[in-house]
Amino acid sequence: MKRIVVGVTGASGTLYAKRLIEALTKTDGVEVYLIISDTARTVARLEEVDLSGYPVQYEENCDLAAGIASGSFLFDAMVVIPCSMKSLASIAGGYGATLISRAADVCLKERRKLILVPRETPYSRVHLVNMLAAHDAGAVIMPASPPLYTHPETINDLADMIAARVLDHCGISHTLGSRWKE
């Protein structure tokens, strides 16, 4: 059984989270813990993306007593998708004031896989410095930049390519998207 924590923060791009959650919950042997920030809930409504009703363990972002806030709670990886610049700054600075930033801090201190999917453009120098700090601490920085060589036909196709890359980095088999062929 693989345990994956998914944090959804207030950046645009909640469809990326939705497609990842759908893929994870359709995969045998994967248990998902989902944290949605208040701002992410607002953005999801604006983007008309429903993140409710999945067979996951929903956690409240304000609940710092949740199991996933402790290094003694074993999970395999965490993905923050999309990752707002505010959340990135908290994670890069080790400021665990929310469950998302605390669980990410647990990943870094325990040397577990942490994947941050920033969805912002352009990046300021502050954003880049925070990405480098998170990377140097052990996070994988995976901007939501889907490839076009796959000739996507829908927005879901684009989101699936990002979800596929995340799944690859988590070591989870999938059939999303397509791979580069020579």
Side-chain angles (χ1 to χ4, degrees):
M1 177 69 70
K2 280 195 181 238
R3 286 180 168 168
I4 308 296
V5 175
V6 177
V8 184
T9 67
S12 179
T14 51
L15 180 63
Y16 292 116
K18 178 182 176 72
R19 300 303 283 180
L20 176 64
I21 294 162
E22 288 174 351
L24 287 169
T25 57
K26 290 177 183 172
T27 303
D28 288 335
V30 175
E31 186 175 271
V32 179
Y33 293 78
L34 179 60
I35 315 159
I36 305 169
S37 75
D38 290 341
T39 307
R41 290 179 201 283
T42 299
V43 172
R45 277 193 303 275
L46 292 170
E47 294 181 342
E48 299 178 358
V49 173
D50 186 4
L51 297 174
S52 64
Y54 290 102
V56 301
Q57 175 66 42
Y58 286 90
E59 302 284 359
E60 291 299 323
N61 199 29
C62 62
D63 185 7
L64 294 177
I68 59 176
S70 172
S72 66
F73 186 88
L74 297 179
F75 57 90
D76 298 282
M78 178 174 184
V79 183
V80 181
I81 181 170
C83 184
S84 69
M85 294 302 107
K86 177 183 175 184
S87 296
L88 171 67
S90 293
I91 293 164
Y95 184 64
T98 66
L99 184 55
I100 290 172
S101 58
R102 174 60 190 159
D105 190 54
V106 165
C107 284
L108 296 176
K109 78 181 187 73
E110 300 292 335
R111 302 285 191 224
R112 296 180 190 155
K113 177 76 70 171
L114 173 62
I115 301 169
L116 305 178
V117 183
R119 216 302 311 141
E120 183 67 65
T121 191
Y123 296 128
S124 74
R125 185 175 190 346
V126 172
H127 300 153
L128 294 169
V129 167
N130 285 336
M131 283 184 218
L132 184 57
H135 174 271
D136 288 348
V140 173
I141 308 299
M142 189 181 298
S145 302
L148 300 179
Y149 64 80
T150 60
H151 305 287
E153 295 179 7
T154 69
I155 193 167
N156 284 341
D157 292 343
L158 292 170
D160 284 353
M161 288 305 295
I162 298 303
R165 294 295 292 146
V166 169
L167 293 168
D168 287 347
H169 279 262
C170 290
I172 297 173
S173 297
H174 63 87
T175 58
L176 289 179
S178 59
R179 299 192 182 276
W180 177 258
K181 294 181 175 90
E182 294 181 22

